[in-house]
Amino acid sequence: MKPSEETVRLFENDRFATENGAVIEEVDDHYARCTLRVEERHRNAMGAVMGGVYFTLADFAFAVAANWQEIGTVSLTSDIAYLGTAKGDRLTAEAVCVKNGRTTSYYRIEVKDEFGKLAAIVNTTGYKKA
């Protein structure tokens, strides 16, 4: 479902992600899909998308998926695997909750390019501090 205005306003406070172009497209129960339009500022010296862009978008998708219903989950650990160079000018990150426990959660976030090619995978363990 489309995010509510309240959800969008809440995550505008994730300024590093949003000021770099991250946008919430869809939210559901412990799920989020976020996108980012790739601009020249997102590219490294070789012209490819900088690794931090993939991670920032994935981390934002995790934050939205884990917190849009109830704020209080932070990232405890994350790891990223870069699987290829993104083509096109749009990245999409989908965060899916694999396990949602009492105090910890585990999310898998896939980052794909404009053509649906998997560019990176992030695995994140969340901690519910609330």
Side-chain angles (χ1 to χ4, degrees):
M1 74 180 94
K2 286 281 192 195
S4 68
E5 287 182 31
E6 180 182 346
T7 298
V8 171
R9 273 195 309 277
L10 171 66
F11 288 99
E12 283 176 348
N13 290 322
D14 280 359
R15 290 190 307 270
F16 185 79
T18 57
E19 289 177 10
N20 275 287
V23 175
I24 305 167
E25 298 289 341
E26 184 179 349
V27 293
D28 207 336
D29 188 34
H30 299 285
Y31 168 86
R33 182 170 48 86
C34 300
T35 60
L36 182 142
R37 181 172 174 76
V38 177
E39 300 173 8
E40 284 306 307
R41 65 187 172 128
H42 297 118
R43 298 193 181 278
N44 61 22
M46 295 184 298
V49 176
M50 186 76 159
V53 176
Y54 297 109
F55 189 81
T56 296
L57 182 60
D59 188 52
F60 184 64
F62 159 73
V64 173
N67 288 290
W68 75 274
Q69 292 166 306
E70 180 181 359
I71 199 86
T73 299
V74 296
S75 175
L76 187 60
T77 63
S78 290
D79 65 75
I80 188 167
Y82 299 102
L83 303 174
T85 304
K87 306 288 188 237
D89 65 358
R90 182 179 280 314
L91 295 176
T92 300
E94 281 189 283
V96 177
C97 184
V98 175
K99 181 180 187 315
N100 186 35
R102 188 172 47 81
T103 57
T104 61
S105 57
Y106 186 84
Y107 283 77
R108 177 182 171 96
I109 305 100
E110 293 186 352
V111 181
K112 295 180 180 178
D113 70 11
E114 182 176 342
F115 304 101
K117 179 181 151 209
L118 194 57
I121 295 176
V122 177
N123 295 295
T124 299
T125 300
Y127 175 72
K128 297 174 188 168
K129 63 181 203 157

